[in-house]
Structure formats: C-alpha cells, structure tokens
Amino acid sequence: MGDRWHVEVDRSVCIGSGMCVNHAPEGFQLDSARQSRPTEEECDAGEHVLAAAEGCPVEAITLTLAGSGEVVFPPEE
C-alpha cells in the first residue's frame, strides 16, 4: 500500500488559474467562484497531484502525508 496525501487548497490565496485542474483533472475542480478545491481530502500519492501543486502560480496547494501530517509540498525553506 502506497502513501496517501491530505490535499488542501488555501482559498484565500487561490487565484483560480486552473493549472491544478489542467495537471490533475480528477483531483481538483473549480467552483462557481473559480476557486480551486480538491475532489477528495485524501488521495493516493501521485505525480499528477504533485505536478498540480508545483504548477500552482501562488502555491495555494498544500500536500501532507495522511496520518503523520508531514509536509510533502511546498518544501520547507
């Protein structure tokens, strides 16, 4: 069994670019206000979800390991 990630979008930062939907259409959607939201709070770890987080121009997406809360993205500086 692989890692699971908790996916969170900071809607106060999200600018609705839609890059997350382009990278991971099964993982993100834009609501009527063009704000991103994950389709599920937890998902299997995968390159498409990581690419969505990395592609967000304002880093509004946070990925943490489900259970431990260890930050996967964005990297700690």
Side-chain angles (χ1 to χ4, degrees):
M1 180 177 200
D3 287 337
R4 296 214 22 106
W5 289 342
H6 176 79
V7 182
E8 191 171 326
V9 175
D10 184 341
R11 294 170 56 82
S12 70
V13 175
C14 177
I15 60 171
S17 73
M19 294 302 293
C20 55
V21 176
N22 288 336
H23 286 289
E26 66 287 340
F28 296 90
Q29 60 188 14
L30 296 180
D31 64 16
S32 61
R34 290 204 45 84
Q35 293 284 291
S36 176
R37 65 179 60 236
T39 55
E40 297 184 45
E41 287 187 21
E42 284 190 13
C43 67
D44 291 332
E47 289 298 317
H48 60 286
V49 176
L50 180 59
E54 291 175 336
C56 178
V58 293
E59 290 190 350
I61 301 170
T62 301
L63 304 174
T64 56
L65 287 176
S68 74
E70 180 181 342
V71 175
V72 175
F73 187 87
E76 296 184 29
E77 296 180 30

